[in-house]
Amino acid sequence: MKKYIGIFLLTLAGPLLAAPLPDNLFFKAMQDEMQRTQKELRVPGSPKPFFTAYKMIYTTVQSFSAAFGVPYAAKAEPESALEAAAYIYAGNAKNNSSGFDNNVYYYQPLVYTSVPLSYEAIRRVLWRLTDTEYIVASTSYERKEAYKRQKNIINPGPDFTASPKASYVQNIEPMPAPDAQASQQLVNVLSALGKELPFLEYFGASIRFSQRDTYFLDSEGDFYQYSVPLAVLSLSATLRNKDGYEEKAQEERPLAWGPMPDQAELEGWTRQFLARLQAMHDAQKAEPYLGPVLLEPKAAGGFFNQLFIRNANRPKPLLSAQRETDPTSGQFKDKVGMRVISHLLDVYDRPYVREYEGKPLQAFMPIDDEGVEAQELQLVQNGKLLTLPSARSVTEGQSHSNGHARMNGKTYPRAMLSNVFFVPKNPMPEKELERQLLDRCRELGLEYGYIFPRFPAINGGKGEMSFAWRIYTADGHKEPVYGLRLEGVTTRSLRDILAAGDNEEVSYFSDAASGIGFSVVAPSLLVDEIEILPTQRKPDRAPFVPLP
Amino acid sequence: MNKFFTAFALLFLAAWGWANPCDLGQQTPLRLMEQELQRSFKILKKQKPPIYYLSYTYTQGEEHSLLVSFDGVAVLRSSPLSAAEVLARAGSPKLDNTHMLRGERENWSVAVGTVPVADAADSKGFLSVWWNATQQAAERAQRDLSQVESNVRSMADTRDKSDDFVFPPQTNYCHTEPLQSVNLEPFIERLTAASRLALGKEFVLDASFAINVTQGHRYFADSQGSRLKTPYSFFRLSYQLSGRSKDGLEISRDGIYDVSSTDQFPSQEQLLADVAQSLDELEELSNAPEGTPYNAPTILKGRAAAVFVHEVMGHRLEGYRLKSADDGQTLVGKVGQPVISELITITADPTQTEFKGEPLRGHYEYDDEGVQARPVVLIENGVLKNFLMQSSPIEGFASSNGHGRKQIGFRPESRMSVIRATASETVPYDKLEEMLIEEINKQGKQYGFIVEDLGGGFTLTSTGLPQSFKLEAKRVFKVYPDGRKEVVRGLDVVGTPLVSFNKIIAAGDDDTLFNGTCGASSGWVPQSNIAPSLLFENLEMEKTRKSDFKPPVLPAPDVKGGKK
């Protein structure tokens, strides 16, 4: 018992003692305006501010790009910009304005972009943000209370749960200037490889270096500052396949900061992409198919993003006087304790992890946007959904936040995942997965199966995809296919996973509703049944003028 | 002999591009553009329907910005600009894809791409962008033409039966200017010092101080064989101060300095003095009583008069609008007739480069259709003479007079350049104020107005709405019969163009320039307006729209009593 008490006390005391408020102009301005707000901001007759938070993001970016070996003019220096947002909950812990969409401002905070870098200017911006957000919060509070009376809603618990004080401070240095000459030279060389395929209408390469420094302070004294550097190499191409369909393709590769990767290796990676483009050009049109599909790691990432993450996010629906249901709230909110995915995978969310096998993860978050220490979650064990992300406005059955409130310019804080790991229990080599795919196809009497390199966006169970491989049961040879229309893809498919590979890769995605970024670490998957129909797109007319 | 030779040489240089003539054959982007344009046009003109005209515009330059507010730098940026635009015309000059549709939304855009560096030795990257934009432009032109043909068949006839296009004359012209080295970092202190003046002032809600520099060259090639290279450059320092009164009225003051190079920006002393003056004016406005609607003798002073001429008459002189059945066509059929006070002459002259030492943003050598800029008399002593024309004829005006203008991404339209209103008789400004007071007394009015600054507003030119204007009087004085002046706030100047322009009874000798950027359906274009102060027999003022929001609950943190 003593041990548990000790751990509990350490948990409380650790963050408290972890770091003093950093001595920089962001925190000085935030703290000064926060104190004034809490002490003085009142409109007679309106509820007082109950909880206030400020978040500032300083982003530095520099890019280099080229097409067919010729550079685009680049900015000489990295470009930086500061943006600031604030949110206020008016009322009290039991009843406050949080979680109500009054449909006037939508559920999104006001954001100031290009905030000037001075104490006085930041104070002014925070002052204006605070004032506007207070008016929004006061209005939302009154409307929410009226709505709850109208619908006879009685809060089973508080609108905003208590949380121990938390802080995280990483020393932040300015983004190191990338080696401009080497970066430009690299994209020139990689994009020049596109000249090898004469049918390419466009082939470009770009490299984007960025650093996002985030500063947060709330009225309970929680704060954080940290920095997320990211470098991403991208290839993009446009082509018209042999049947006249215009196709676009893109490939991204996250890079670790530091010395430029080996050029020969990147050329090899580019040639793999070119091989895919050649296959896209030569592909045949999809025919109706119902059977097993092997998803390569990036496709598996997309599959999980569409079917798992989207449904695990925002488990608590917003209240709104304008609509009865919240379309942004995930379907898994009522499925805790139920089997939602194949027993072959466990699923974790690891917000505090910065990289996986040298690849940066874009959703690093030691403390969430309501000042709660972000916890690792085991979301799924043996296929059963154990828990969901939560914020301080908890759902029924939850007692406290697990530190997953995330906000940006398009949403006030809501419970969302961050770096999601899909961990296979019996991982197997990709060749073995291919063998299992072919065995399953033979079992079902199919001439061929499918391998997806990517997975499309799914809306209403449907999605369009421009490229996949057919693999034939007779001899295992592969043929490229275009124009695939997926039908009936639902969360049911998560339970149809037959096997998983040992080749986890990192993929980046953004939440469709808010644009908040995630990382997904997922291996190849063998899914028992996906329905494919040919696309209904019409081919494009051949260009009037042949390529130069 | 020498004298004659010098005169000839000067004339030759003037015709050839005064400062820095260049060799068109040496311009790599132009050579590549021409190569791709010719290759494409040869095929496109044989399509059904044919693409009968094709033009390529390439804008290559750089943009520099510095934005400062309340002692901090918000933006310090230098960016390259490299835009390829392709405009295709399908059908025939009689009826093409640009024909003004009735009852449907127009498509004003052109195909745009971002191009990599033009490299003669490795041209695939550059050419593939033009190829792609050409394909898009041709497809869009054919699609739009079928919409036009169906629209023409099914909708009522239009009044103006003019062709949709007249081929611009074939022109070759090359003028290059070395880009100036621009470093805005030394100006940070100048702007931050000025921004600090706005701190601690409770009537200031926002204060921004900016420098914007754009410079580069525009290359143009078309299927008529025209080949052009012309430079452009704009150097501007500006500031804006704004506040909000307790009853929700937005108030503002601003300052604009257009120059030709960064070393001509105002000195710190001058800038500080001007900003201090603007802050005084803003404070005065914040404490001023609210004006009430009234019709009375009014002076529109210098800059306000220039804005007035632009908004109320200038837009109605844009020829392309007259083709629209939905346009009010205020001046149609009035060529040769008096339309405004005989005191006033209005001209457009994009060849003018500066006014009283200040560069004119509306200056250019060739318009965006490759037509040489030229001066045009639009209204002479009150009599309508001409319209601003692009290469789309209107009844009575068969060709362009070099006013086809556009923002990147838009199709050219006839737009204003350097618009100047002059008066056949002028008086010193002090005399104009005396005449105002005489007029107030003569009409037995309680007071008249002097409007020093006119801001945004709107002028309606659609038949579905009254042909009226409503312009925000940003700084206006009531003038009493005894000469006393009182600043008021919250008034707009309203009226209709023909009535108000016929009420001009006198003009000052204080011609004033207002450089601006005008937004219309061919996008934002830099533009200049020059006018003397104008005395109107009467102008109507009405209340301006107020914001729904109160000023912030707490004072600004830097205001006394605000910071804790």
Side-chain angles (χ1 to χ4, degrees):
Chain A
M1 177 66 186
K2 272 185 182 168
K3 190 167 120 189
Y4 288 111
I5 291 170
I7 289 170
F8 176 70
L9 287 174
L10 273 175
T11 312
L12 270 180
L16 269 172
L17 301 172
L21 196 67
D23 180 19
N24 60 44
L25 78 99
F26 303 111
F27 279 106
K28 183 165 167 39
M30 287 196 288
Q31 189 181 35
D32 290 350
E33 196 55 29
M34 181 75 75
Q35 282 171 358
R36 194 169 76 123
T37 294
Q38 294 304 107
K39 196 173 160 194
E40 296 178 26
L41 185 60
R42 299 285 181 279
V43 170
S46 292
K48 62 181 185 179
F50 156 69
F51 182 85
T52 305
Y54 296 140
K55 184 174 180 177
M56 310 191 77
I57 300 176
Y58 186 73
T59 309
T60 307
V61 176
Q62 191 164 24
S63 305
F64 304 91
S65 50
F68 291 117
V70 183
Y72 285 95
K75 289 177 184 168
E77 300 289 333
E79 200 171 294
S80 299
L82 176 66
E83 69 173 48
Y87 71 91
I88 289 181
Y89 296 148
N92 52 53
K94 173 78 177 154
N95 294 303
N96 62 54
S97 57
S98 67
F100 185 78
D101 170 9
N102 67 17
N103 230 12
V104 176
Y105 300 95
Y106 302 97
Y107 201 67
Q108 61 186 51
L110 179 65
V111 173
Y112 267 56
T113 54
S114 299
V115 177
L117 272 178
S118 75
Y119 170 80
E120 302 290 2
I122 295 172
R123 279 288 306 262
R124 280 237 169 198
V125 164
L126 295 174
W127 162 61
R128 299 288 300 280
L129 283 169
T130 309
D131 190 82
T132 304
E133 290 297 336
Y134 178 45
I135 303 300
V136 172
S138 306
T139 315
S140 292
Y141 177 81
E142 305 289 358
R143 291 187 185 189
K144 184 179 173 184
E145 289 302 301
Y147 179 74
K148 281 162 67 179
R149 283 194 297 274
Q150 183 196 341
K151 294 286 180 182
N152 203 23
I153 298 169
I154 297 161
N155 281 5
D159 259 357
F160 200 68
T161 53
S163 169
K165 229 172 177 181
S167 64
Y168 179 91
V169 177
Q170 176 203 338
N171 187 36
I172 295 179
E173 297 291 338
M175 183 177 96
D179 183 337
Q181 201 179 349
S183 302
Q184 188 63 64
Q185 178 63 20
L186 176 68
V187 291
N188 291 353
V189 167
L190 299 185
S191 70
L193 297 176
K195 288 194 277 192
E196 294 173 7
L197 299 183
F199 58 82
L200 287 184
E201 296 179 0
Y202 175 80
F203 189 78
S206 67
I207 186 163
R208 182 179 191 272
F209 299 92
S210 67
Q211 182 172 304
R212 200 180 77 237
D213 308 332
T214 312
Y215 305 87
F216 173 92
L217 177 70
D218 70 29
S219 51
E220 293 181 350
D222 308 304
F223 59 90
Y224 65 72
Q225 76 166 32
Y226 62 84
S227 181
V228 177
L230 208 57
V232 179
L233 182 61
S234 310
L235 302 172
S236 55
T238 306
L239 60 93
R240 225 167 277 253
N241 73 15
K242 64 179 175 50
D243 291 340
Y245 286 82
E246 189 181 272
E247 306 284 12
K248 290 181 190 299
Q250 192 167 12
E251 187 72 38
E252 276 189 359
R253 182 175 167 137
L255 301 175
W257 267 86
M260 201 58 76
D262 180 54
Q263 185 169 314
E265 190 210 329
L266 293 176
E267 285 182 29
W269 172 70
T270 305
R271 285 189 193 286
Q272 280 178 18
F273 182 57
L274 290 170
R276 179 146 70 90
L277 297 177
Q278 179 70 59
M280 286 176 81
H281 178 260
D282 301 339
Q284 57 187 307
K285 195 169 180 177
E287 290 172 0
Y289 173 88
L290 182 64
V293 170
L294 174 58
L295 306 179
E296 291 180 358
K298 290 269 195 269
F303 175 78
F304 286 132
N305 178 49
Q306 294 293 325
L307 301 179
F308 187 94
I309 296 173
R310 189 197 273 187
N311 286 308
N313 279 336
R314 293 176 285 256
K316 183 164 186 179
L318 294 177
L319 295 180
S320 170
Q322 308 290 327
R323 54 187 183 214
E324 288 289 325
T325 56
D326 175 4
T328 65
S329 181
Q331 287 180 23
F332 286 174
K333 59 181 174 289
D334 302 318
K335 294 191 176 175
V336 174
M338 293 170 68
R339 193 166 77 87
V340 294
I341 193 169
S342 160
H343 68 283
L344 296 170
L345 290 149
D346 287 341
V347 186
Y348 300 86
D349 190 67
R350 293 171 174 146
Y352 53 83
V353 177
R354 280 186 176 273
E355 59 173 43
Y356 177 76
E357 292 186 346
K359 303 278 168 49
L361 300 178
Q362 65 170 354
F364 170 71
M365 177 180 75
I367 290 175
D368 79 358
D369 292 329
E370 287 178 338
V372 180
E373 197 172 348
Q375 297 168 16
E376 169 167 329
L377 303 180
Q378 181 167 10
L379 297 159
V380 170
Q381 188 177 36
N382 298 326
K384 197 186 278 184
L385 185 65
L386 299 180
T387 189
L388 286 168
S390 66
R392 291 176 72 171
S393 176
V394 294
T395 52
E396 213 174 321
Q398 291 176 321
S399 58
H400 62 278
S401 165
N402 54 33
H404 279 75
R406 301 185 69 191
M407 74 174 283
N408 68 358
K410 289 186 179 170
T411 180
Y412 288 116
R414 297 193 70 185
M416 296 170 92
L417 296 175
S418 56
N419 299 317
V420 194
F421 288 69
F422 293 85
V423 182
K425 286 187 157 172
N426 304 304
M428 57 187 69
E430 192 149 7
K431 280 288 165 204
E432 174 59 17
L433 277 182
E434 268 190 31
R435 195 189 60 73
Q436 288 202 13
L437 167 67
L438 293 173
D439 287 349
R440 182 70 180 136
C441 287
R442 288 185 197 107
E443 231 176 276
L444 296 168
L446 295 169
E447 187 190 354
Y448 56 80
Y450 268 100
I451 299 174
F452 287 2
R454 296 287 181 280
F455 199 81
I458 300 294
N459 281 308
K462 298 177 184 192
E464 286 269 343
M465 201 165 67
S466 62
F467 178 73
W469 293 100
R470 260 184 206 162
I471 180 165
Y472 284 82
T473 50
D475 56 4
H477 86 277
K478 294 175 188 169
E479 289 178 1
V481 177
Y482 76 89
L484 303 95
R485 182 159 57 96
L486 272 52
E487 289 275 349
V489 181
T490 67
T491 52
R492 158 84 239 179
S493 304
L494 292 168
R495 301 197 293 276
D496 283 347
I497 296 168
L498 297 176
D502 59 0
N503 52 352
E504 288 104 318
E505 281 187 26
V506 176
S507 306
Y508 298 150
F509 297 98
S510 298
D511 175 59
S514 65
I516 284 181
F518 304 93
S519 305
V520 177
V521 180
S524 291
L525 299 175
L526 178 57
V527 180
D528 195 31
E529 187 176 281
I530 286 182
E531 186 177 354
I532 299 168
L533 294 170
T535 182
Q536 293 177 334
R537 277 173 63 202
K538 306 287 179 293
D540 300 299
R541 172 174 57 188
F544 297 117
V545 181
L547 274 162
Chain B
M1 173 64 189
N2 272 353
K3 201 158 72 179
F4 284 116
F5 178 76
T6 309
F8 175 76
L10 282 172
L11 275 172
F12 178 78
L13 277 176
W16 185 248
W18 183 264
N20 288 299
C22 50
D23 179 358
L24 283 172
Q26 296 299 311
Q27 309 303 318
T28 302
L30 209 46
R31 279 198 295 123
L32 294 174
M33 286 160 64
E34 182 175 13
Q35 176 189 324
E36 185 59 20
L37 187 142
Q38 282 177 353
R39 189 179 80 94
S40 299
F41 189 63
K42 211 164 133 186
I43 297 168
L44 293 173
K45 69 183 180 186
K46 292 178 188 157
Q47 302 299 313
K48 288 183 182 169
I51 301 298
Y52 75 91
Y53 177 81
L54 194 61
S55 73
Y56 285 6
T57 304
Y58 174 44
T59 309
Q60 185 193 30
E62 53 187 45
E63 298 174 335
H64 306 268
S65 354
L66 170 63
L67 178 65
V68 164
S69 190
F70 298 114
D71 202 23
V73 175
V75 173
L76 177 61
R77 180 186 300 151
S78 295
S79 313
L81 174 66
S82 178
E85 296 173 277
V86 176
L87 188 147
R89 286 179 176 266
S92 69
K94 178 83 187 149
L95 183 76
D96 74 18
N97 54 300
T98 69
H99 188 81
M100 192 79 82
L101 295 175
R102 292 198 70 156
E104 291 184 44
R105 198 178 156 81
E106 306 284 333
N107 179 5
W108 297 106
S109 62
V110 297
V112 187
T114 303
V115 278
V117 174
D119 181 347
D122 190 355
S123 59
K124 183 163 182 175
F126 187 79
L127 291 178
S128 63
V129 175
W130 290 101
W131 171 82
N132 185 43
T134 305
Q135 175 69 19
Q136 281 182 42
E139 282 184 354
R140 193 182 299 173
Q142 288 190 336
R143 189 193 61 210
D144 289 352
L145 178 64
S146 62
Q147 193 185 357
V148 163
E149 287 170 338
S150 137
N151 190 276
V152 167
R153 278 194 299 271
S154 58
M155 307 298 271
D157 277 354
T158 48
R159 185 198 53 77
D160 193 321
K161 304 279 191 296
S162 307
D163 287 359
D164 285 330
F165 190 57
V166 57
F167 289 106
Q170 193 264 333
T171 316
N172 286 331
Y173 179 75
C174 195
H175 176 187
T176 194
E177 286 291 340
L179 298 192
Q180 296 183 38
S181 166
V182 175
N183 177 13
L184 298 184
E185 280 194 30
F187 295 93
I188 290 175
E189 176 48 32
R190 201 173 300 182
L191 296 200
T192 48
S195 79
R196 285 193 287 272
L197 295 181
L199 287 168
K201 308 277 193 298
E202 62 181 348
F203 51 90
V204 176
L205 208 49
D206 282 312
S208 60
F209 300 77
I211 293 179
N212 293 291
V213 174
T214 62
Q215 56 174 348
H217 290 90
R218 196 166 291 124
Y219 301 84
F220 178 88
D222 73 3
S223 51
Q224 292 294 101
S226 288
R227 306 288 177 264
L228 300 167
K229 180 186 180 186
T230 49
Y232 66 90
S233 70
F234 304 101
F235 289 69
R236 167 173 280 192
L237 188 155
S238 62
Y239 64 84
Q240 173 135 35
L241 312 166
S242 63
R244 190 188 299 147
S245 64
K246 285 191 177 67
D247 55 1
L249 185 75
E250 309 279 354
I251 51 174
S252 66
R253 302 301 302 136
D254 58 37
I256 295 173
Y257 310 84
D258 286 299
V259 296
S260 305
S261 61
T262 53
D263 58 9
Q264 294 172 358
F265 283 139
S267 66
Q268 183 147 330
E269 296 69 33
Q270 188 197 332
L271 183 62
L272 292 178
D274 291 352
V275 171
Q277 165 77 22
S278 296
L279 283 165
D280 287 347
E281 290 174 3
L282 191 69
E283 184 172 23
E284 190 182 20
L285 270 177
S286 72
N287 296 320
E290 198 175 354
T292 49
Y294 198 53
N295 186 35
T298 299
I299 286 177
L300 296 184
K301 208 170 169 183
R303 171 170 147 157
V307 173
F308 186 81
V309 170
H310 171 99
E311 292 290 353
V312 178
M313 192 51 66
H315 283 299
R316 289 177 168 80
L317 290 163
E318 292 167 340
Y320 192 68
R321 289 174 188 269
L322 306 186
K323 289 190 135 179
S324 168
D326 293 334
D327 191 87
Q329 303 180 349
T330 309
L331 300 175
V332 163
K334 292 193 170 61
V335 176
Q337 296 177 26
V339 289
I340 62 172
S341 163
E342 63 181 14
L343 196 61
I344 300 299
T345 291
I346 300 178
T347 57
D349 187 1
T351 64
Q352 264 193 286
T353 56
E354 59 173 46
F355 176 77
K356 295 181 181 171
E358 195 170 337
L360 295 169
R361 286 167 67 84
H363 160 72
Y364 50 87
E365 293 172 292
Y366 283 82
D367 75 0
D368 292 319
E369 294 181 317
V371 177
Q372 191 169 17
R374 70 200 66 170
V376 182
V377 177
L378 298 163
I379 294 175
E380 191 170 27
N381 298 324
V383 176
L384 180 64
K385 295 287 182 185
N386 208 336
F387 289 99
L388 298 162
M389 293 296 299
Q390 62 170 132
S391 297
S392 180
I394 57 171
E395 211 170 275
F397 296 91
S399 59
S400 169
N401 53 31
H403 282 85
R405 305 190 65 201
K406 61 192 260 324
Q407 181 187 338
I408 289 174
F410 291 77
R411 214 165 61 197
E413 249 187 37
S414 43
R415 301 286 296 274
M416 286 175 265
S417 53
V418 176
I419 294 290
R420 183 164 192 180
T422 49
S424 51
E425 287 174 36
T426 59
V427 295
Y429 179 74
D430 290 347
K431 173 70 182 164
L432 205 64
E433 282 202 6
E434 285 172 21
M435 291 169 75
L436 169 70
I437 292 164
E438 279 168 27
E439 194 63 28
I440 293 165
N441 285 308
K442 191 173 112 189
Q443 293 183 29
K445 294 286 183 184
Q446 293 172 316
Y447 53 82
F449 295 104
I450 295 175
V451 180
E452 278 196 356
D453 192 7
L454 270 182
F458 53 84
T459 181
L460 304 174
T461 62
S462 161
T463 45
L465 296 163
Q467 296 300 293
S468 57
F469 60 84
K470 181 173 168 75
L471 304 171
E472 184 194 357
K474 293 171 80 173
R475 184 166 162 82
V476 57
F477 294 86
K478 271 183 184 175
V479 182
Y480 292 95
D482 61 2
R484 188 166 45 91
K485 291 180 191 168
E486 179 188 23
V487 174
V488 289
R489 64 183 171 88
L491 290 177
D492 285 348
V493 181
V494 294
T496 52
L498 295 181
V499 170
S500 56
F501 260 91
N502 274 297
K503 298 280 184 186
I504 298 171
I505 52 177
D509 60 1
D510 55 345
D511 289 11
T512 305
L513 164 66
F514 174 65
N515 269 319
T517 305
C518 173
S521 48
S522 69
W524 292 92
V525 295
Q527 198 270 330
S528 306
N529 313 280
I530 304 165
S533 296
L534 299 171
L535 171 59
F536 292 75
E537 187 184 342
N538 52 54
L539 272 180
E540 189 174 341
M541 302 282 171
E542 67 178 26
K543 280 191 179 269
T544 197
R545 186 177 180 276
K546 287 178 185 171
S547 160
D548 294 333
F549 297 98
K550 287 180 176 180
V553 177
L554 297 178
D558 46 78
V559 169
K560 194 176 174 188
K563 191 177 284 187
K564 298 285 169 188

